[in-house]
């Protein structure tokens, strides 16, 4: 194969050239999106270290630490504003439920199925987000958007192909049907959570701290109950000499996802849940890149070509605005349909143009 530094340098040089020719919004989308992907990669690395070095597969205990950190946003909100603003508790709980369920399912999905199958099935969240956004957010996409998604998925297929070619013998899946089902359920769960999160952030009735507080309390409670019941006994087998190292892995995992959950809602408000998931298609690239230095993985040129396709796909997608109707159930209006008797405005959130109807509060009382 090619020497690592050559394709790596060429890939990043191409990315810098693309960024130099793009608008500030596109640069933000690329940089913030890849920052999120790297944070997801970091959490995966810490999970892998727990499993490979300590033989610990404890998604619920990890969930408890992760969401306990996230729940500290409630303390921040009370100290800063004296309250926790959650305009729609039902949707916030729906978001938290599907997020925690998807987290559990993906950890166990990777345990039962092969890596290649898991990556292919997990990419299902892209069409899932597009369909959900179409009906929930009334999103309307152009041919340019579909082209961007296609290019990103081609990049994913190249990376999966490279992984398959490099693996002379792939580990046998212990229960491929169950593993594939869990990965599929996880991708749908994350898609629902992401779209609901985008809606809450852009609709405006729920503050970021409020949403994260609900997600934090819900996830920490689930993690505590099931972690104490199902996984706590596995920690008893950890040698005393490894306690500090294991604690470091748990802290690293929790901090990585705390930062991710702090950035992701802001990213969705400025961009969209779909761009968020498109950006996450590069997670396997960053995972393998980290694996070269930590787990002695190998990499060939198809990985870099796939990464380049993904970046180009995201760039193409952001060249056109996504238009959709947004508002509460009282004031939402169909796409491209404006009542001439009411005032309306176009609100732009990053690459998203929102047609939000304004209520008439200036009528004269008789």
């Amino acid at each position: 194969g090619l020497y690592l530094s050559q394709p790596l340098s060429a890939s990043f040089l191409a990315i810098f050239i693309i960024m130099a020719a793009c608008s500030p919004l596109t640069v933000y989308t690329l940089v913030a999106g890849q920052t999120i992907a790297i944070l997801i990669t970091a959490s995966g690395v810490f999970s892998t270290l727990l499993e490979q070095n300590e033989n610990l597969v404890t998604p619920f205990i990890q969930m408890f630490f992760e969401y306990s950190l996230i729940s500290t946003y409630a303390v921040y909100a009370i100290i800063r504003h004296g309250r926790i603003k959650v305009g729609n508790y039902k949707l916030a709980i729906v978001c938290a439920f599907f997020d925690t369920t998807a987290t559990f399912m993906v950890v166990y999905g990777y345990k039962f199925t092969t890596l290649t199958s898991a990556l292919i099935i997990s990419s299902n969240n892209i069409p899932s987000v597009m369909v959900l956004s179409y009906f929930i957010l009334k999103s309307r996409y152009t041919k340019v958007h579909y082209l961007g998604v296609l290019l990103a998925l081609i990049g994913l297929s190249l990376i999966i192909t490279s992984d398959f070619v490099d693996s002379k013998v792939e580990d046998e899946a212990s229960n491929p049907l169950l593993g594939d089902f869990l990965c599929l359920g996880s991708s749908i769960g994350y898609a629902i959570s992401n779209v609901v999160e985008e809606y809450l952030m852009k609709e405006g009735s729920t503050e970021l701290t409020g949403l994260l507080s609900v997600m934090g309390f819900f996830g920490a409670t689930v993690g505590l109950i099931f972690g104490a019941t199902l996984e706590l006994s596995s920690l008893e087998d950890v040698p005393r000499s490894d306690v500090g190292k294991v604690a470091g892995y748990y802290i690293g995992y929790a901090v990585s996802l705390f930062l991710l959950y702090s950035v992701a809602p802001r990213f969705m408000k400025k961009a969209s849940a779909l761009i968020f998931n498109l950006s996450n298609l590069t997670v396997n690239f960053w995972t393998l890149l980290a694996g070269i230095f930590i787990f002695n993985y190998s990499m060939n040129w198809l990985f870099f070509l796939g990464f380049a396709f993904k970046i180009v796909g995201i760039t193409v997608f952001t060249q056109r605005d996504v238009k959709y109707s947004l508002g509460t159930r009282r004031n939402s209006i169909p796409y491209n349909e404006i009542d001439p008797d009411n005032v309306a405005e176009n609100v732009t959130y990053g690459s998203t143009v929102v047609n939000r109807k304004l209520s008439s509060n200036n009528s004269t009382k008789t």
Side-chain angles (χ1 to χ4, degrees):
L2 293 174
Y3 185 65
L4 176 63
S5 63
Q6 295 175 350
L8 185 62
S9 300
S11 297
F12 285 113
L13 178 61
I15 292 169
F16 285 129
I17 292 174
I18 291 173
M19 290 174 61
C22 291
S23 66
L25 169 63
T26 302
V27 173
Y28 167 82
T29 302
L30 292 174
V31 174
Q34 293 315 296
T35 299
I36 290 170
I38 291 171
L39 289 171
I40 294 174
T41 300
S43 68
V45 168
F46 286 115
S47 289
T48 304
L49 288 171
L50 281 169
E51 181 180 0
Q52 290 189 0
N53 295 355
E54 307 298 335
N55 197 28
L56 289 173
V57 181
T58 55
F60 287 114
I61 292 177
Q62 291 168 232
M63 188 184 298
F64 169 72
F65 288 119
E66 165 199 345
Y67 286 105
S68 293
L69 261 184
I70 295 172
S71 66
T72 58
Y73 270 101
V75 179
Y76 171 81
I78 293 172
I79 293 175
R80 182 76 183 268
H81 306 292
R83 62 186 172 83
I84 300 174
K85 183 182 178 183
V86 182
N88 194 325
Y89 274 99
K90 291 181 180 179
L91 278 183
I93 292 173
V94 167
C95 182
F97 171 79
F98 281 104
D99 186 78
T100 53
T101 303
T103 300
F104 159 77
M105 293 178 78
V106 74
V107 171
Y108 276 97
Y110 277 91
K111 180 180 179 181
F112 290 115
T113 192
T114 62
L115 175 63
T116 303
S117 295
L119 289 174
I120 292 173
I121 295 171
S122 295
S123 65
N124 173 70
N125 60 351
I126 301 298
S128 297
V129 167
M130 294 189 77
V131 171
L132 288 168
S133 296
Y134 183 90
F135 289 104
I136 296 176
L137 302 175
K138 309 300 182 185
S139 302
R140 296 300 180 264
Y141 302 104
T142 67
K143 293 180 180 179
V144 173
H145 295 127
Y146 291 116
L147 175 61
V149 171
L150 177 62
L151 290 172
L153 291 176
I154 289 174
L156 176 65
S157 67
L158 288 172
I159 289 183
I160 292 173
T161 301
S162 175
D163 177 68
F164 183 77
V165 169
D166 278 344
S167 301
K168 295 180 180 179
V169 180
E170 188 169 29
D171 292 336
E172 298 238 351
S174 59
N175 194 335
L177 184 60
L178 175 61
D180 291 349
F181 174 78
L182 288 171
C183 287
L184 178 61
S186 172
S187 68
I188 295 173
Y190 277 131
I192 295 172
S193 175
N194 291 162
V195 172
V196 172
E197 188 174 335
E198 179 186 356
Y199 175 85
L200 289 172
M201 287 295 94
K202 287 180 175 175
E203 186 266 344
S205 67
T206 300
E207 292 181 348
L208 170 63
T209 53
L211 176 62
L212 292 178
S213 297
V214 173
M215 294 179 71
F217 285 128
F218 186 92
T221 302
V222 172
L224 177 62
I225 294 172
F226 287 98
T229 305
L230 304 175
E231 300 172 351
L232 194 59
S233 59
S234 61
L235 296 179
E236 297 174 358
D237 299 328
V238 177
R240 287 189 176 183
S241 59
D242 290 348
V243 169
K245 186 165 56 173
V246 169
Y249 294 155
Y250 279 118
I251 293 172
Y253 175 87
V255 170
S256 299
L257 289 180
F258 171 77
L259 295 174
L260 166 66
Y261 278 78
S262 299
V263 174
R266 295 180 173 90
F267 181 84
M268 290 185 197
K269 184 173 183 178
K270 192 171 182 62
S272 69
L274 182 56
I275 298 179
F276 174 82
N277 283 277
L278 285 174
S279 299
N280 289 349
L281 289 179
T282 61
V283 167
N284 46 354
F285 170 84
W286 293 111
T287 299
L288 193 63
L289 194 61
I292 290 174
F293 302 102
I294 300 174
F295 305 112
N296 298 317
Y297 290 174
S298 61
M299 182 185 293
N300 66 37
W301 62 273
L302 280 175
F303 264 90
F304 299 99
L305 182 60
F307 182 70
F309 262 93
K310 290 180 180 182
I311 295 298
V312 171
I314 296 169
T315 303
V316 169
F317 187 94
T318 58
Q319 299 310 301
R320 292 291 184 272
D321 292 332
V322 177
K323 296 182 179 180
Y324 63 92
S325 299
L326 181 65
T328 62
R329 282 173 291 182
R330 292 182 181 179
N331 65 10
S332 60
I333 56 176
Y335 170 74
N336 244 5
E337 200 174 291
I338 302 176
D339 184 352
D341 295 329
N342 293 281
V343 184
E345 67 173 353
N346 283 332
V347 182
T348 301
Y349 292 101
S351 61
T352 309
V353 174
V354 178
N355 193 348
R356 172 177 270 172
K357 193 176 186 181
L358 298 179
S359 46
S360 279
N361 294 324
N362 56 353
S363 58
T364 305
K365 292 184 179 181
T366 57

